[in-house]
Amino acid sequence: YEPGFSFKRHKDNQRKIGIILPLNDDYSNTPLEFLDNEFNLMESCSYSTPIAFDAQSIHQVAPIKTQRWQMQISLYEPFNTYIRNNRLVK
């Protein structure tokens, strides 16, 4: 993703869990943000190591400041099942 690209608030279509592996930098300057149903910011997640998140929660990323390379893995099992069965989860 090039500077200026943003991910507007959304829930992923069918994906239940997103696993993001940052490949080029730490993403603390444009964190993943989680919103409530009224689109109020609930939590912000900066990361430089792989993370897993509930892709069915409303999330967004503000316009990024630097080029971002990442690999994403999509899972389709419920997030609560995943966190119960795996130790390293954000």
Side-chain angles (χ1 to χ4, degrees):
Y1 302 103
E2 294 299 323
F5 186 85
S6 67
F7 299 91
K8 303 290 185 206
R9 64 182 184 228
H10 68 282
K11 293 181 182 180
D12 292 358
N13 189 20
Q14 295 178 11
R15 167 168 92 155
K16 304 274 192 250
I17 301 165
I19 299 175
I20 302 174
L21 296 89
L23 300 176
N24 66 323
D25 204 353
D26 113 20
Y27 299 157
S28 59
N29 62 356
T30 48
L32 184 58
E33 299 176 336
F34 298 95
L35 311 172
D36 65 17
N37 288 332
E38 286 79 41
F39 309 125
N40 299 306
L41 181 64
M42 292 176 25
E43 184 177 356
S44 181
C45 176
S46 298
Y47 55 96
S48 58
T49 60
I51 64 164
F53 71 96
D54 181 354
Q56 291 301 299
S57 63
I58 302 170
H59 56 281
Q60 67 184 11
V61 175
I64 61 174
K65 295 177 174 71
T66 59
Q67 189 178 59
R68 180 176 281 194
W69 287 82
Q70 62 189 29
M71 179 171 34
Q72 291 195 26
I73 300 169
S74 298
L75 299 176
Y76 299 91
E77 67 180 298
F79 187 72
N80 289 338
T81 301
Y82 180 82
I83 61 173
R84 203 172 33 248
N85 296 330
N86 295 279
R87 296 182 320 159
L88 300 176
V89 178
K90 177 68 179 173

